[in-house]
Amino acid sequence: MEAKAITRHVRISPRKCRVVVDLIRGKSVVAANEILTFTNRGASEVVQKTLNSAVANAENLHHVRPESLVVKACYVDEGPTMKRIRPRAKGSASPIRKRTSHITIIVAPREEA
C-alpha cells in the first residue's frame, strides 16, 4: 500500500538533485519535510513539492495518516538534455548542456517499509 509521486522535466541537474534526495531516503515524512525546509539547496524546493504530492496521494487514495508514513524509496533519473551553443573566440562555439531530471518519491506506512 505505497503511494508514488513523479515530477518530470525539472530544470536542474540530476547530480545536484541526488544530493538532496539522499538526505531524506528512509526517513519519516515529518523528518524529511523538516530536512528539506532547512536545506540550503536549489533542488530542495522541488523535492519537497514531490514529497508533499506523494503524501497527498497516500492520504487520498489509501486513507493513511501522514504521520505514519516513511520515505520508502526516492531516486532521480536523468531527463532529456537541452543542447545550446555558446559563441567563443575566432568564430568557434562550445556546447552547453542544460540537463533535466525526473524525481520519483515512494512513501509507505512505517510497518510496510
Side-chain angles (χ1 to χ4, degrees), residues 4 8 11-12 14 19-20 29-30 36 43 49-51 56 65 71-72 78-79 90 103 106 109:
K4 178 163 82 167
R8 303 188 73 211
R11 250 304 280 128
I12 188 162
V19 173
V20 176
V29 167
V30 177
L36 291 172
K49 282 184 178 183
T50 309
L51 176 66
R65 289 194 355 260
V71 179
K72 182 177 179 181
E78 192 168 341
K90 298 182 182 177
I103 304 168
I106 302 170

Side-chain angles (χ1 to χ4, degrees), residues 5-25 36 43-44 46-48 50-51 71 73-80 99-106:
I6 302 172
T7 305
R8 303 188 73 211
H9 305 289
V10 178
R11 250 304 280 128
I12 188 162
S13 167
R15 186 173 175 180
K16 293 177 183 178
C17 210
R18 284 185 189 117
V19 173
V20 176
V21 168
D22 289 342
L23 294 173
I24 65 168
R25 189 174 292 120
L36 291 172
S44 63
V46 180
V47 173
Q48 190 170 23
T50 309
L51 176 66
V71 179
C74 53
Y75 50 91
V76 179
D77 294 324
E78 192 168 341
R99 300 180 187 272
T100 61
S101 303
H102 300 324
I103 304 168
T104 304
I105 297 181
I106 302 170

Side-chain angles (χ1 to χ4, degrees), residues 24 26-33 35 51 66-71 110:
I24 65 168
K27 303 267 193 313
S28 71
V29 167
V30 177
N33 235 334
I35 290 169
L51 176 66
E67 299 83 33
S68 67
L69 292 173
V70 163
V71 179
R110 188 173 311 279

